[in-house]
Amino acid sequence: MLALRLARGSRPLALARRLLLAATAGGVGFLLLSGLGWASAHPGDGDQAVLRLAWCVLPIAATVQLAVAVARADPAGRPRSGLDSAGLGPARLPMLAAVSTAVAALLGSALALLVFLHLRGDISGMPFDGAAAGLLAADRPLPLAAALTLLTIVPAAAAVASALALRGRTAPVRHSAPLPPPPTPPTPPTAPSATATGPAEEPVQVPTGLPWGAALIGAGIAFSGYAGFTERPPSDAEGALTLPGALSGLTPGVVAGWLLIATGVIVAAPSLTHLCGRMLAVGRPGALRLLAGRVLQSEAERLGHPLGALCVALAAALAALHLDGPRLFGPLSALGTGIVLVCALGTIAAAVHESRTARAAATTSLLRLGAPRALIRRAALLRLAALLLVFAPLSWLVFQTLVLPIRA
């Protein structure tokens, strides 16, 4: 009940994030139910049924990542002194966040079940009744127990991931006026002023995932290239994946190489984000470049993984359109790709909001010291331009590596 009361009293932005989570969870639930319907219509083809359900892993992972970002950005998930008096200290706040996340995801799963049954024709009396009866195998009975089991996957995974992500928040937030910054010693004329990046600045932790990410990307390119050149069975041969269009001749080795490439990009993305910040602050920067660069360096871990996921999602969408074309890109494939893209964008938006909230005290101190608001806005635009300059070509390179084994 407390989770419902906090949700009802949340701000519109927090409610919008939860509604986005419910929508994406509903989309994943619809994909899982569609795979179950196909399996019930083809009882003798168990391998393909498992494969169709396995393709839902990427939308599930993207939705869980969005759930974690929403839980971290939610004000109800932050320790507050008022909740301590109610018996909800830092140790129990992760459970509250898990319940709130599970409620939003369960709402989306329930809506997915209603829409699925309506499009099958099992629920009548509304528009589009039975509009997708052939696609959703309406002539076969739907196993209810299996459907409910599949629909609990996303809420359970999102709740567990949100609880684990918030376990590190132990210090309660005191609602009192911030103390003035300590006096800083004078700096040499050649060094930039420390007040340009905020008072009492903490040391920035450098991400270490770039070597591992580069190794995974290289292994994925080699693996998919070797599989694409040496393992070329026809679409109806044993060992090939029966997928639509140009993807019908894929082997498991090519798919495994793609997964390695995607994992490597996501692992290396925080280091690339930190490198963007280092490049902005290189040399003898002014206040604008120093502020933008230091913020990117401090927020590299928080923003890097969502940016990597968005880069992979854009590359995968371009590869699917390039190989299959819009006509062969079916509705369920379009739904899955759209879920991944929306989750990536929503995760980045939630991470940006969390980052802005974490920097609120430093921003207030900068304004109190006389920094113009236009400086902060220009620094945000400069950070966006730097990220686009690095991640847009990276998305194109990942797209080229994905289509290379099939194009050759």
Side-chain angles (χ1 to χ4, degrees), residues 384-396:
L384 178 60
L387 292 175
L388 287 176
L389 189 63
V390 171
F391 283 94
L394 180 61
S395 301
W396 184 83

Side-chain angles (χ1 to χ4, degrees), residues 12 29 40 47 51 72 90 128 131 139 184 228 243 262 272-273 276 296 315 332 336 339 359 363 408:
S40 63
D47 294 338
L51 178 63
R72 291 178 61 90
F128 304 103
D139 55 339
T184 57
L243 297 172
L272 294 177
T273 306
C276 291
L296 268 186
L332 295 180
I339 289 173
R359 299 195 314 268
T363 302

